[in-house]
Amino acid sequence: MKYKSTVKVGIDEITLVLFPNEKVPPDEWIIKADEILGRFIDLSKIEELFGKMQEAQYGVQQGYSAGLTFENKPWHMSISWHEYLQTMGICIKFSAYAWSVYQSTFFERYGKRMNIALFLKMIQSDFYIARLSRIDMTADYFNFHKCFNPNTIYQNLKSGSIIVKDYKNRSMIKTFNGVDKNGIISTLYVGSRKSNTRCFTRIYDKKAEQIETKGFRYEEAINCKSWIRQEVVFKGTYAHQITEELLNITDEKELVQFIAHQITDRYRFYDIQTKKEMKYTRALLYIMNNAQFNHLSTAIAKDNDLKRSIIYLLKGSGLCPTFYKAFEVWGEGADKEIANYLFEYYEKFYIPEANQKKEIKSWIKKHRSTLRQQTITEYLKGVCV
């Protein structure tokens, strides 16, 4: 099979903070916070899409004292605030999975595409000031040249055969490190990851990550030859500046150009010998200047949690070797007899107890609605071992 080489840019996870548009007396903060919450929930339409938010029992952002979240969802989206410290604002956190689900569900419900620029415009209000505190921008390289992988780039940076510069041709990066997995660098970090850092990038094998975790983009992963991601994390003042710029974007083509521009502004990989940008940097610079709508990553989120269990049964539990041993010892039909024995045990002993198991009940509540969007036959077709 011949795989097409493509590069797409997108947004992974986002965190934004809502601040009151004017200082509120301390004893009135919680009332004002409730007004801000109500206005954001109405403008973002999140409860229209996913139902009533509940008081968060866990998942409140660090440093905040209270929050709301959606219960029984396989993804995480939360709203957090501090009961006494209005200077912390109200923190809205979308995981990558939640942001993807939000965009796809918004389109299904209203027939309109959603992206980060439209979202920020949609939630603007006289009740508060909204700005990003973190935004992760991505460049996904599908079936790209083999030179673009974390191990090769790490080794080349270490040897000095390539360097990283910004758009002004300055060598700003002083630190890089890698995560070693069986002697191979599986993830490369360029820049410091300390809490006060405003920007860093990581490059990793997204195909391997999605297959290993059975992530919400698992099916994309199994249907490509390779998938390497560069992810750039913008925090603090950088994220604030990006908020203002996103509010001026008018269409998806501009958004694509903007994301490619932000990534290459700070991270351009150069070959020391040729004094030219590496092929993967040139690909992003091309998108920056010749963007098309299909350069924007629009993932379809799928719940693959049950696949993880099924694949474990097939590959890691010893189930299949047990069937085969029975077949070799007793001949044809012995493997099926063991399968029938196991199913009879499941029906007789496990099912009567299952409804009493908290972890099982919790899992069903969290995953049932998303899994029922496909038939069991369709779902099993997506299992690849």
Side-chain angles (χ1 to χ4, degrees), residues 323-346:
F323 289 156
Y324 187 72
K325 288 172 186 175
F327 173 78
E328 284 294 324
V329 172
W330 290 290
E332 186 175 348
D335 45 2
K336 291 182 180 178
E337 190 168 335
I338 286 186
N340 291 334
Y341 173 82
L342 292 175
F343 192 78
E344 286 173 9
Y345 175 91
Y346 157 76

Side-chain angles (χ1 to χ4, degrees), residues 361-384:
K361 291 170 73 175
S362 175
W363 188 94
I364 291 169
K365 285 181 180 178
K366 186 180 289 186
H367 297 277
R368 177 157 44 194
S369 63
T370 54
L371 290 174
R372 279 185 170 175
Q373 292 172 11
Q374 301 177 75
T375 65
I376 182 62
T377 303
E378 291 169 336
Y379 190 77
L380 290 174
K381 284 178 181 177
V383 176
C384 179

Side-chain angles (χ1 to χ4, degrees), residues 43-214:
L43 292 173
S44 65
K45 303 184 185 300
I46 54 173
E47 288 193 337
E48 285 184 31
L49 296 173
F50 305 116
K52 190 76 174 172
M53 296 191 81
Q54 305 296 322
E55 183 178 347
Q57 303 302 314
Y58 59 89
V60 172
Q61 290 295 96
Q62 187 175 1
Y64 291 86
S65 63
L68 297 173
T69 192
F70 290 104
E71 291 185 343
N72 305 320
K73 300 292 183 186
W75 39 265
H76 177 72
M77 183 265 170
S78 65
I79 301 177
S80 307
W81 65 91
H82 197 286
E83 294 170 289
Y84 305 109
L85 301 176
Q86 64 176 286
T87 54
M88 294 181 68
I90 297 174
C91 182
I92 319 293
K93 161 89 173 174
F94 284 88
S95 68
Y97 191 175
W99 178 241
S100 179
V101 170
Y102 176 80
Q103 291 177 95
S104 58
T105 308
F106 191 95
F107 179 77
E108 289 168 9
R109 177 68 65 86
Y110 306 111
K112 297 177 181 178
R113 289 168 67 88
M114 176 53 63
N115 61 52
I116 185 61
L118 292 173
F119 177 74
L120 289 174
K121 290 176 185 177
M122 186 174 72
I123 63 165
Q124 294 302 301
S125 170
D126 294 335
F127 273 68
Y128 54 74
I129 297 166
R131 68 186 189 194
L132 293 163
S133 62
R134 172 173 175 160
I135 181 168
D136 294 9
M137 295 185 175
T138 62
D140 289 319
Y141 295 78
F142 295 95
N143 315 313
F144 202 73
H145 192 279
K146 61 183 179 181
C147 70
F148 188 62
N149 69 80
N151 188 64
T152 299
I153 298 172
Y154 175 83
Q155 300 303 337
N156 288 341
L157 285 171
K158 192 175 179 182
S159 69
S161 59
I162 66 172
I163 58 173
V164 184
K165 294 184 178 182
D166 66 6
Y167 75 105
K168 291 183 178 179
N169 207 35
R170 299 175 298 185
S171 297
M172 303 292 287
I173 304 302
K174 303 221 175 1
T175 62
F176 66 90
N177 57 77
V179 176
D180 188 301
K181 192 172 183 180
N182 301 320
I184 301 293
I185 299 300
S186 60
T187 303
L188 166 66
Y189 290 94
V190 179
S192 172
R193 289 182 286 154
K194 292 180 180 178
S195 59
N196 61 346
T197 298
R198 291 179 296 174
C199 184
F200 68 87
T201 189
R202 69 170 179 151
I203 297 170
Y204 63 102
D205 189 331
K206 189 69 175 176
K207 175 182 171 79
E209 181 229 41
Q210 286 294 295
I211 290 175
E212 185 177 331
T213 63
K214 305 302 175 290

